[in-house]
């Protein structure tokens, strides 16, 4: 079964750091595009970072320089290192596979990040 | 970035109704348009990709159409489990962007 399971969210103070993990099963993370998409409470969906099938990456302007996407091939896991967190980074973070035509499936269950003092 | 605008932002409908949601792109995106359903507390789920291709396992009452800048998601015969928020997403040029969502509520 193709599945993604995120972990690592939680409550953190402004300026703090968190690392999100996304464990994949049923497919190889390194062989496909993988994305992190976030959803602030009551808001819409925003792509924040993409790891392309090679080594190139992309970041939304809102997180560039603060977030780093990476993967561990032998663990078949995607990560999102989030530093210098701000209250407006508070959201549910989903990892998802990006198909060749740019549609997302599957999605993980999401992990909630709350940035607050 | 390509802006995606959905209308209406919300709608009320009854079981059995035919529902249409519109998505407009700020520039032509050919047929690189995807539709998702999101229920409260759950991750989005793809319904339609490539403007009109039905994802496996999605009921045939869902259909998509359009090309260029104007797209439509139609639910023919709304079912109780269809009450949710629907998002369009363009995959013509990076960054992929989503519409703001259309909430389908029970009338």
């Amino acid at each position: 079964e193709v599945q993604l399971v995120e972990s690592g969210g939680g409550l953190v103070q402004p300026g703090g750091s968190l690392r999100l993990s996304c464990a994949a099963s049923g497919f190889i993370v390194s062989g496909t595009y993988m994305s992190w998409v976030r959803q602030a409470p009551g808001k819409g969906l925003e792509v924040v970072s993409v790891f392309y099938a090679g080594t190139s990456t992309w970041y939304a302007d809102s997180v560039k320089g603060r977030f780093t996407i990476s993967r561990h091939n032998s663990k078949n896991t995607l990560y999102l290192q989030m530093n210098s967190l701000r209250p407006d980074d508070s959201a549910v973070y989903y990892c998802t596979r990006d198909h060749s035509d740019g549609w997302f499936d599957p999605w993980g269950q999401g992990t909630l990040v709350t940035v607050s003092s | 970035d390509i802006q995606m605008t959905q209308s209406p932002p919300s709608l009320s409908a009854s079981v059995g109704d035919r529902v249409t949601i519109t998505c407009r792109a700020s520039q032509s995106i050919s047929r690189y348009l995807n539709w998702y359903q999101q229920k409260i507390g759950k991750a989005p789920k793809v319904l339609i990709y490539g403007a009109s291709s039905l994802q496996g396992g999605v009921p045939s009452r869902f259909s998509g159409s359009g090309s260029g800048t104007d797209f439509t998601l139609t639910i023919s015969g709304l079912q109780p489990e269809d009450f949710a928020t629907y998002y369009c997403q363009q995959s013509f040029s990076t960054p992929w962007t989503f519409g703001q969502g259309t909430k389908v509520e029970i009338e």
Side-chain angles (χ1 to χ4, degrees), chain A residues 17-40:
Chain A
S17 298
L18 278 178
R19 188 177 82 155
L20 306 184
S21 299
C22 172
S25 56
F27 71 98
I28 304 299
V29 164
S30 61
T32 188
Y33 294 5
M34 294 292 296
S35 295
W36 286 97
V37 177
R38 71 182 178 184
Q39 185 171 38

Side-chain angles (χ1 to χ4, degrees), chain A residues 33 35 37 39 43-47 50 52 58 61 94 98-110, chain B residues 1 32 34 36 38 41-46 48-50 55 87 89-92 94-100:
Chain A
Y33 294 5
S35 295
V37 177
Q39 185 171 38
K43 301 297 185 183
L45 299 161
E46 177 191 20
V47 181
V50 181
Y52 297 107
W58 176 88
D61 287 344
Y94 297 100
D98 187 340
H99 286 253
S100 59
D101 285 339
W103 49 281
F104 297 116
D105 180 72
W107 296 64
Q109 84 285 1
Chain B
D1 298 0
Y32 290 91
N34 314 302
Y36 300 84
Q38 186 179 33
K42 299 295 186 181
K45 167 189 164 184
V46 65
I48 303 281
Y49 60 92
Q55 170 68 332
Y87 293 93
Q89 174 239 335
Q90 66 82 18
S91 53
F92 178 78
T94 56
W96 305 154
T97 47
F98 291 87
Q100 79 280 16

Side-chain angles (χ1 to χ4, degrees), chain A residues 12-112:
Chain A
V12 62
Q13 293 188 337
S17 298
L18 278 178
R19 188 177 82 155
L20 306 184
S21 299
C22 172
S25 56
F27 71 98
I28 304 299
V29 164
S30 61
T32 188
Y33 294 5
M34 294 292 296
S35 295
W36 286 97
V37 177
R38 71 182 178 184
Q39 185 171 38
K43 301 297 185 183
L45 299 161
E46 177 191 20
V47 181
V48 296
S49 187
V50 181
F51 203 124
Y52 297 107
T55 58
S56 62
T57 57
W58 176 88
Y59 299 94
D61 287 344
S62 57
V63 307
K64 199 174 294 183
R66 301 186 298 120
F67 289 12
T68 303
I69 192 171
S70 63
R71 66 186 181 212
H72 194 300
N73 292 344
S74 63
K75 293 184 178 180
N76 208 30
T77 297
L78 182 74
Y79 301 99
L80 187 67
Q81 177 67 43
M82 305 186 297
N83 298 331
S84 303
L85 282 161
R86 311 188 298 222
D88 62 358
D89 293 318
S90 297
V92 175
Y93 285 73
Y94 297 100
C95 70
T96 181
R97 179 175 62 178
D98 187 340
H99 286 253
S100 59
D101 285 339
W103 49 281
F104 297 116
D105 180 72
W107 296 64
Q109 84 285 1
T111 187
L112 177 63

Side-chain angles (χ1 to χ4, degrees), chain B residues 7-73:
Chain B
S7 60
S10 65
L11 64 91
S12 295
S14 300
V15 172
D17 284 353
R18 178 184 175 92
V19 168
T20 299
I21 298 169
T22 296
C23 179
R24 175 165 287 175
S26 60
Q27 65 183 74
S28 177
I29 58 170
S30 185
R31 291 178 60 81
Y32 290 91
L33 191 284
N34 314 302
W35 289 99
Y36 300 84
Q37 177 193 66
Q38 186 179 33
K39 297 182 179 179
I40 294 174
K42 299 295 186 181
K45 167 189 164 184
V46 65
L47 300 174
I48 303 281
Y49 60 92
S52 61
S53 296
L54 195 67
Q55 170 68 332
V58 175
S60 59
R61 62 181 179 272
F62 291 93
S63 63
S65 64
S67 65
T69 60
D70 295 312
F71 300 87
T72 299
L73 174 70

